[in-house]
Amino acid sequence: MNRRTLKNDVIVIAAIAVVAAVIWCVVKLSSKAGEFAVVELNGVETARYSLNEDIRAEIACGDGCVNTLVIRNGEAYIESANCPDKLCVKQHGIRMTGETIICLPHRLIVRIIGEYGVDATV
Ligand SMILES: [Zn+2]
């Protein structure tokens, strides 16, 4: 009886490992390189830049606050900002759909979206 239980445990563990591997593959495949960087202030889209073009844009969010958004080699990042914590500047560049850079003090979000203008990650 014990032997049988052990065998069942092995089967269950193997099944879980297979399911985990499948989920990992699906997640990997669904996070594709994005097409646009969308800039949102207070949850409202204010600008949209193609990741295929290198740009440097000053994003003013009122009251003198400014974030400098740079897109280079298909990657978007905040080059400089005058927010108090500078967390947005410290964040790594983003290029995959669903990735975001958030500047909380300025209520700014830079989000990567896919080619059809929708968030491809489910
Ligand atoms: Zn910031």
Side-chain angles (χ1 to χ4, degrees):
M1 192 63 181
N2 268 343
R3 249 198 159 152
R4 175 163 287 226
T5 310
L6 184 68
K7 197 178 176 188
N8 285 343
D9 282 354
V10 169
I11 291 170
V12 168
I13 290 166
I16 290 170
V18 168
V19 170
V22 168
I23 289 172
W24 184 84
C25 286
V26 169
V27 168
K28 271 281 165 194
L29 289 174
S30 64
S31 73
K32 302 180 293 189
E35 288 287 319
F36 297 97
V38 172
V39 177
E40 290 176 7
L41 284 170
N42 275 317
V44 178
E45 180 178 331
T46 58
R48 180 177 290 211
Y49 302 100
S50 170
L51 289 176
N52 297 318
E53 289 170 40
D54 292 0
I55 57 114
R56 174 180 274 107
E58 302 239 307
I59 301 160
C61 48
D63 296 333
C65 69
V66 175
N67 296 59
T68 303
L69 172 72
V70 170
I71 296 173
R72 187 177 295 151
N73 299 326
E75 197 166 79
Y77 61 94
I78 302 291
E79 185 182 64
S80 62
N82 59 359
C83 56
D85 58 13
K86 298 276 194 294
L87 285 176
C88 52
V89 180
K90 288 174 193 155
Q91 285 181 58
H92 292 290
I94 53 173
R95 59 167 65 231
M96 307 301 274
T97 55
E99 288 187 314
T100 54
I101 293 175
I102 297 168
C103 180
L104 268 183
H106 291 176
R107 297 171 182 276
L108 169 79
I109 298 175
V110 180
R111 201 155 51 88
I112 302 298
I113 59 169
E115 57 187 316
Y116 302 111
V118 291
D119 203 331
T121 49
V122 183

